[in-house]
Structure formats: C-alpha cells, structure tokens
Amino acid sequence: MKVWKFIPLLMMCVQSVLPGQLQVVSTYGYIGDIVSRIGKERVEVVTLARGDYNPHVIIPKPSYIAKLRRADLLIINGGQLEIGWLPQIIRQANNGAVQPGGRGFLDLSMHVHLIDVPTGVSRELGDVHPEGNPHFFLDPDNIPAIANAVTARLVELDSDNQAYYEANNKELYALWQQKMKGWEAKLKPFKGEKIVEYHRIFDYFLHRFGFTIVGTIEPLPGIPATTKHIADVEKLIGQEHVKFIFQDVYNPQDASEYIAKRLNVKLLILPHDVGAVKEADNVFSVFDEIVRRLTNV
Ligand SMILES: [Zn+2]
C-alpha cells in the first residue's frame, strides 16, 4: 500500500507544467520578461521571436504552432508589427482559447498611445506601419501601462491569484520608478541633440528623452538606402550638426558605417528588445544598455 503514496509525487516530478499554471505565449522578448515578472511561478511563458532578429519579418517555425496550441493566453505587441508572420501561426494552431478578440488574446498596442500615425497609407510609401509606429516598448514610460494590461488579464484568467499578481506588478513599478530616475539623469545632457536613425525603431525613446530626429537612412520604412538618399542624409547631417546615428542590430550596417566614417558621426548599434544584444537580457537592461552605449562615447 505504501507505494501509492509516492505516485502523486512522482507525477508532479514528471510534469513540466505545474497544476494550475497559466500557459502564456508572447511574441517578443520584452513581453515575455514582463509576464514573468508579474506571473512568476504561477505562469509558464514561452516567447516566439528571437530578440536579435528583425521583429517585422520573423520566420515562423513549426514549433511555434505546437507552443500556441497549448496556450491559455497569447500576448502580442500589435500595431501590425506581427502582421507578416503571426496570423498563419494562429490559424494553424487552431486553439479557440487564443483567438483575437477573446479573453485569451491580449494586444498591447491597445493600451498605449501610438505615435507617427500616417495620414495617408499606400504601399508605395514603403512597408509602412499603417496604424502608427508599433515600437512603443522603446519608450520606457510605456512599461507601467503594458504591465497593468498584463496584470489585469492574468487576474481575469486566474482570479484566485489576484493579490499575488498585483503585488508583483507593484514590485515591477517600484523598480521602474527607480530605473527611470537614473535614465533621466544620465540623458539630461542629450536634450535637444539631433540624431539620424536607420529605421524609425527608436522614435519613442528619442521623443521621450528630448532628442530631435532629423532623418532616416532608409528612405522609407523597410526600403534600403539609395545613393541619392544617402547624399541627402549626408547634407542634412552637415546642416543640422548631427553627432549620432542610431541603428538596430538586424538591418545592414554598411550605409550607416559609410556615412559615419565620411562625416565623423558616431554610429550606435542599439538593442530594440530583450535579447537583441547579450547585455540586454531584461526590460530594464535594454534601456541600461542603450544609455550606456550612448553615454560611453
Ligand atoms: Zn518598424
């Protein structure tokens, strides 16, 4: 009879999923990190996209479908950032729990204010973001709004642990407040600094900390630089006394390097998400690393 006592224990050991644990799938690393901080051991989070890949053009893997099939909750960035790769995974996973519009689907772009909303949209204008700029995570001021939306949804799906999720959200908020003070102090001397970006991925960060964006190296979103456009950007850099080029880790760097060298401008390769560079391993260290790379020149 004694052996029966061990069976439940044994079953717990072989199960990778703890009973009652919410299964969450996030599209990008920053979402996964925020969910882990709020859900801790009450949730299991799987993130689909790698942080050092181009977030607009993730190549879907069959394993993504299996992960989504088991999920209770899918959390996406939204603002059409996943439009090129996620809809087919949702379709193939065929999981009724995580369909857009349902309780098991959370679109974070609905909880923040989007900037750069185009007035007229046409594919001739390049691979535009028709709902506005979806890279809102890069304004650290949006972290509490994202965390609140995640907390509310975890509470909705698992109300027994409401106090637990809310306490973890408070803890995240306190850390955010402390971090924000540090970033603001370090970036104060850069207020009004004029910069050029490769793609408009750092707009939120730049607006938040008072930089002025004078141009982009890609002539239109998603379109590589041309010789004519590079000449225009060089002229602008000279006229506006631009000192920095901000570039992500995944786009080709040759045009930026060419301009930086010719005009003696500092090229900064910066993380846009958790996992984009090894130092940026959580939502706070993404900004720590941007600030460090910017202030260390
Ligand atoms: Zn973009």
Side-chain angles (χ1 to χ4, degrees):
M1 285 301 282
K2 235 179 175 181
V3 72
W4 292 106
K5 278 190 182 166
F6 294 101
I7 288 176
L9 191 71
L10 202 70
M11 279 173 69
M12 275 177 69
C13 292
V14 293
Q15 273 175 338
S16 61
V17 174
L18 289 173
Q21 219 183 13
L22 278 177
Q23 301 299 300
V24 183
V25 169
S26 74
T27 48
Y28 301 107
Y30 83 87
I31 303 173
D33 186 49
I34 290 174
V35 176
S36 300
R37 284 167 187 271
I38 296 164
K40 294 190 179 167
E41 69 268 26
R42 300 304 314 157
V43 302
E44 188 181 313
V45 193
V46 175
T47 293
L48 300 182
R50 270 181 57 158
D52 56 345
Y53 282 10
N54 182 341
H56 312 80
V57 288
I58 299 297
I59 312 289
K61 288 192 211 151
S63 63
Y64 292 0
I65 298 161
K67 284 167 182 167
L68 197 54
R69 200 163 279 158
R70 293 193 294 270
D72 301 307
L73 174 61
L74 168 63
I75 308 184
I76 72 163
N77 182 93
Q80 299 211 6
L81 187 54
E82 295 100 339
I83 195 89
W85 62 278
L86 188 63
Q88 57 170 308
I89 297 172
I90 296 179
R91 240 186 346 265
Q92 287 171 349
N94 196 23
N95 175 354
V98 297
Q99 293 305 307
R103 272 163 38 110
F105 180 89
L106 176 60
D107 176 344
L108 295 173
S109 69
M110 308 303 279
H111 297 268
V112 295
H113 172 70
L114 295 190
I115 61 170
D116 303 338
V117 181
T119 41
V121 174
S122 154
R123 283 285 155 188
E124 281 164 32
L125 295 174
D127 185 12
V128 289
H129 293 312
E131 291 178 9
N133 189 321
H135 307 294
F136 54 80
F137 159 62
L138 287 159
D139 178 354
D141 235 2
N142 280 331
I143 291 177
I146 296 168
N148 288 343
V150 168
T151 304
R153 190 56 61 94
L154 293 181
V155 167
E156 204 182 320
L157 294 173
D158 179 23
S159 55
D160 289 353
N161 289 301
Q162 177 167 2
Y164 178 79
Y165 296 134
E166 286 174 353
N168 293 342
N169 190 24
K170 254 192 197 145
E171 195 181 291
L172 188 156
Y173 186 79
L175 181 56
W176 169 83
Q177 270 184 314
Q178 183 199 326
K179 283 285 186 185
M180 202 66 188
K181 264 190 211 147
W183 298 325
E184 270 170 346
K186 283 185 178 159
L187 294 176
K188 217 172 172 186
F190 292 86
K191 230 180 187 130
E193 192 73 60
K194 290 173 177 170
I195 70 98
V196 160
E197 271 182 290
Y198 183 90
H199 174 73
R200 287 193 163 273
I201 197 162
F202 295 104
D203 277 31
Y204 286 87
F205 178 87
L206 294 163
H207 283 300
R208 177 65 188 79
F209 294 103
F211 291 80
T212 305
I213 307 159
V214 304
T216 57
I217 292 179
E218 52 176 20
L220 295 164
I223 306 293
T226 57
T227 315
K228 156 93 176 67
H229 185 70
I230 287 176
D232 291 346
V233 172
E234 287 192 336
K235 209 166 142 192
L236 211 56
I237 288 175
Q239 280 168 355
E240 302 282 346
H241 308 290
V242 169
K243 290 200 209 94
F244 300 101
I245 297 172
F246 275 41
Q247 162 125 24
D248 52 76
V249 297
Y250 57 83
N251 270 306
Q253 291 164 17
D254 39 349
S256 302
E257 274 167 9
Y258 172 80
I259 296 170
K261 216 171 189 176
R262 272 167 55 93
L263 300 183
N264 200 23
V265 179
K266 183 76 194 172
L267 169 61
L268 297 167
I269 308 295
L270 302 171
H272 65 284
D273 193 4
V274 171
V277 298
K278 70 172 186 330
E279 296 89 343
D281 59 355
N282 67 64
V283 282
F284 298 112
S285 56
V286 167
F287 297 100
D288 285 340
E289 192 54 20
I290 294 176
V291 171
R292 195 187 67 77
R293 290 185 186 209
L294 184 60
T295 52
N296 265 12
V297 293

